[in-house]
Amino acid sequence: MANVVVVGAQWGDEGKGKIVDWLSERADVVARFQGGHNAGHTLVIGGVTYKLNALPSGVVRGGKLSVIGNGVVLDPWHLLKEIEAIRAQGVEISPETLMVAENTPLILPFHGELDRAREAQTAVAKIGTTGRGIGPCYEDKVGRRVIRVADLADDATLELRVDRALVHHNALRAGLGLSEIDRDALLADLRAIAPELLRYAAPVWKVMTEARRAGKRILFEGAQGALLDIDFGTYPFVTSSNTIAGQAATGTGLGPGAIDFVLGIVKAYTTRVGEGPFPTELGDSDGERLGERGREFGTVTGRKRRCGWFDAVLVRQTCATSGVSGIALTKLDVLDGFETLRLCVGYDLDGQRLDYLPTAADQQARCVPIYEDLPGWSDSTEGARSWADLPANAIKYVRRVEELIQCPVALLSTSPERDDTILVTDPFAD
Ligand code: IMP
């Protein structure tokens, strides 16, 4: 059976929700493998809207196993609230349908406070984080002082873990002018949620291995996008996890051979939330128009997304770092009505032409996009369900994108409706 990884191939918000839902209908297991509740996935099924942050998209469809892997950082209070909210919409969630890896790090309230306190400091450049404690929690994981799901099961271990974390955090907080953490209150809060959270705890690596051996179809659901990857993104303006496809294996406990198809989700233009370089960003009426037509507002923070032309250099790069087998091109309809469309095909760096984004921040800032112009189309592509429904210039645009990024289109999405999709290659096909 084919297992599919879905990753964002730009800066997130590529429209993964619809594609993941479309694929999850045919998956047996849907697993999150990185990130946390900084993600915002909106699903519309049968006219009902579900808003998910930490839960895998598979939870809203019956008969599947949803998995939160060890690569995720988990705010337990947020998770339990999210479960309640989804349950209130009539969805059944139980330990049989949702499993959380025992080795998943927990986001605690002081992680969020630290995240927000750092962002509020004006002396250093802001990252523009979601303020949800994602970075500080990953720091603690790597610093070997994080509290993990399994630690909740034994009170003596929990106290040791809390003390280890507080030694570090109280020193840090003193420097930032934040009050000391109330140890007893934190322990009491953790003890209070432990029984409910532990109901979902499982050795996910084992469950996933058994599912794979039993020939189940696994869908690995990525969050954020490849340009926000901690190693390959526009550092330091990135999130704190590996968002690229290789993380699907590490973040759930399977070997890399478990991945058969990597689907990169790519928006027909480019957007970014938060700070950081963005070579094709538009500060003009074309940018405004992309934002309005594409309804480009962040689902988690409500921030206006920055908009720009399609950057083929960046997407070629992320298709390489994630080993993308095929892309799902989304929001093509947002480009309807533009007289001319621009595709970034290279950068000019101090008079030299580059075919990739350099790593050094000062060089990134000096990269001037080199554009190729294509004629737009006046007919609507919204709701197209076959190539024959698309204007000739829209097809030319898509074909040119494929050539430039050196990766084929597997799916084309032409509206938020799940059936407004053109299927070229089935990622789940054996
Ligand atoms: P953090 O993940 O909250 O640490 O934020 C780091 C960067 O990633 C910021 O630029 C955020 O705007 C961005 N980011 C985090 N999650 C998402 C997402 O789900 N979509 C798009 N951008 C995100």
Side-chain angles (χ1 to χ4, degrees):
M1 279 295 170
N3 298 325
V4 178
V5 180
V6 172
V7 287
Q10 291 153 313
W11 276 292
D13 311 312
E14 297 91 351
K16 287 187 286 297
K18 167 183 155 174
I19 307 290
V20 165
D21 176 48
W22 195 83
L23 289 169
S24 75
E25 200 177 18
R26 287 181 305 138
D28 302 302
V29 181
V30 182
R32 281 280 308 265
F33 56 89
Q34 49 72 228
H37 64 313
N38 49 349
H41 294 161
T42 305
L43 304 175
V44 184
I45 299 172
V48 183
T49 303
Y50 302 93
K51 289 198 179 289
L52 306 175
N53 297 124
L55 286 168
S57 297
V59 287
V60 297
R61 298 202 166 268
K64 314 201 177 292
L65 174 62
S66 291
V67 166
I68 296 182
N70 55 280
V72 167
V73 282
L74 184 67
D75 179 328
W77 295 278
H78 188 98
L79 178 78
L80 296 179
K81 262 195 228 144
E82 207 175 308
I83 290 175
E84 274 322 303
I86 295 294
R87 265 201 197 122
Q89 290 187 282
V91 176
E92 227 182 275
I93 301 183
S94 72
E96 278 69 51
T97 61
L98 174 68
M99 291 185 189
V100 178
E102 292 165 329
N103 47 347
T104 304
L106 296 179
I107 301 180
L108 302 183
F110 56 77
H111 290 128
E113 284 172 42
L114 181 57
D115 193 356
R116 294 187 291 275
R118 282 181 181 153
E119 287 288 285
Q121 283 186 322
T122 46
V124 288
K126 264 172 66 132
I127 306 286
T129 72
T130 58
R132 297 197 158 189
I134 307 295
C137 185
Y138 276 117
E139 286 169 38
D140 279 1
K141 170 180 172 172
V142 180
R144 292 164 291 192
R145 58 176 171 267
V146 89
I147 292 146
R148 310 198 298 179
V149 170
D151 298 330
L152 296 174
D154 179 66
D155 207 55
T157 308
L158 182 62
E159 286 198 21
L160 278 176
R161 295 279 188 270
V162 165
D163 287 339
R164 196 181 173 89
L166 294 203
V167 169
H168 174 85
H169 279 276
N170 280 332
L172 196 57
R173 289 168 71 91
L176 287 165
L178 297 172
S179 62
E180 263 204 7
I181 296 162
D182 184 336
R183 178 182 186 270
D184 292 342
L186 177 62
L187 278 168
D189 288 347
L190 286 169
R191 286 178 187 128
I193 50 138
E196 184 58 14
L197 188 67
L198 285 169
R199 289 179 63 225
Y200 301 99
V204 155
W205 65 271
K206 191 166 181 289
V207 173
M208 295 291 278
T209 302
E210 282 160 8
R212 192 174 169 227
R213 286 201 185 126
K216 306 270 189 208
R217 277 181 170 161
I218 305 172
L219 178 65
F220 298 91
E221 178 181 6
Q224 291 86 48
L227 294 167
L228 291 168
D229 183 90
I230 187 73
D231 288 299
F232 293 102
T234 46
Y235 193 90
F237 302 100
V238 292
T239 191
S240 295
S241 62
N242 280 114
T243 56
I244 58 175
Q247 175 63 16
T250 320
T252 55
L254 286 176
I259 299 167
D260 301 297
F261 194 100
V262 178
L263 185 68
I265 315 296
V266 176
K267 191 145 51 178
Y269 49 100
T270 314
T271 62
R272 166 160 214 176
V273 210
E275 311 302 316
F278 181 172
T280 62
E281 182 170 13
L282 290 167
D284 60 6
S285 56
D286 284 337
E288 285 290 317
R289 182 166 167 186
L290 287 172
E292 274 163 32
R293 287 187 55 91
R295 292 177 294 280
E296 298 293 354
F297 291 93
T299 37
V300 173
T301 58
R303 288 178 291 181
K304 206 171 169 181
R305 295 179 187 141
R306 299 153 66 192
C307 297
W309 296 121
F310 186 82
D311 190 333
V313 180
L314 288 180
V315 176
R316 185 167 59 234
Q317 200 160 322
T318 59
C319 283
T321 54
S322 268
V324 171
S325 324
I327 65 161
L329 191 66
T330 63
K331 296 185 122 176
L332 185 68
D333 54 298
V334 173
L335 300 181
D336 293 353
F338 277 92
E339 204 172 304
T340 303
L341 296 165
R342 313 199 84 184
L343 293 170
C344 173
V345 295
Y347 302 126
D348 181 317
L349 177 65
D350 307 331
Q352 252 199 320
R353 188 179 172 126
L354 290 187
D355 65 354
Y356 68 99
L357 187 71
T359 303
D362 64 308
Q363 294 187 0
Q364 288 183 353
R366 292 202 308 282
C367 277
V368 178
I370 300 168
Y371 286 113
E372 180 178 300
D373 288 349
L374 290 185
W377 53 89
S378 48
D379 296 342
S380 169
T381 61
E382 195 180 337
R385 293 186 183 186
S386 75
W387 289 103
D389 294 339
L390 294 177
N393 282 349
I395 296 176
K396 277 189 198 148
Y397 184 84
V398 176
R399 293 298 182 215
R400 189 64 186 135
V401 164
E402 283 181 313
E403 274 172 13
L404 290 168
I405 65 170
Q406 296 167 358
C407 194
V409 167
L411 290 163
L412 198 65
S413 162
T414 55
S415 98
E417 290 300 318
R418 50 182 281 114
D419 293 330
D420 293 342
T421 305
I422 301 172
L423 177 66
V424 182
T425 307
D426 183 353
F428 270 130
D430 293 323

